[in-house]
């Protein structure tokens, strides 16, 4: 939930709209992403992997794409733990 919230905030502030996707061209490490919500790198890795598998996000070395912001928002609202 916290990781999804950070992704949505970053997307809202720094994301570039690409069709239905929101592109984040940031070289964010798992460590840096974990520090933002006060999480662990293991948790971030697990959440990111599941979000990728579920098609909500895509990620690379220096970029990330939010593919389904609505599902991420729903995850945050429900307090879903991934």
């Amino acid at each position: 939930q916290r990781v999804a919230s950070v992704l949505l905030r970053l997307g809202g502030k720094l994301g570039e709209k690409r069709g239905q996707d929101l592109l984040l061209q940031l070289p964010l490490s798992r460590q840096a992403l974990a520090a933002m919500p006060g999480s662990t790198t293991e948790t971030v890795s697990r959440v990111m992997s599941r979000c990728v598998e579920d098609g909500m996000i895509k990620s690379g070395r220096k970029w990330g794409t939010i593919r389904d912001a609505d599902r991420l928002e729903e995850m945050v609202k429900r307090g879903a733990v991934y």
Side-chain angles (χ1 to χ4, degrees):
Q1 173 190 8
R2 290 183 287 176
V3 175
S5 182
V6 166
L7 289 172
L8 288 169
R9 271 198 324 267
L10 287 172
K13 291 183 180 185
L14 305 171
E16 298 173 29
K17 195 80 164 143
R18 299 280 171 100
Q20 296 294 321
D21 297 345
L22 205 53
L23 176 65
L24 293 166
Q25 295 192 72
L26 302 169
L28 271 179
S29 68
R30 301 268 195 251
Q31 233 174 357
L33 195 54
M36 290 179 198
S39 193
T40 65
T41 54
E42 292 83 7
T43 298
V44 168
S45 291
R46 186 177 65 248
V47 170
M48 296 285 285
S49 292
R50 288 197 181 149
C51 287
V52 167
E53 288 171 11
D54 288 350
M56 289 186 271
I57 64 169
K58 285 176 71 175
S59 67
R61 288 183 55 91
K62 295 186 178 186
W63 59 273
T65 302
I66 297 174
R67 310 247 12 229
D68 194 339
D70 292 339
R71 282 179 62 200
L72 280 177
E73 287 176 20
E74 184 61 33
M75 201 169 114
V76 171
K77 287 179 188 172
R78 285 190 328 219
V81 178
Y82 246 61

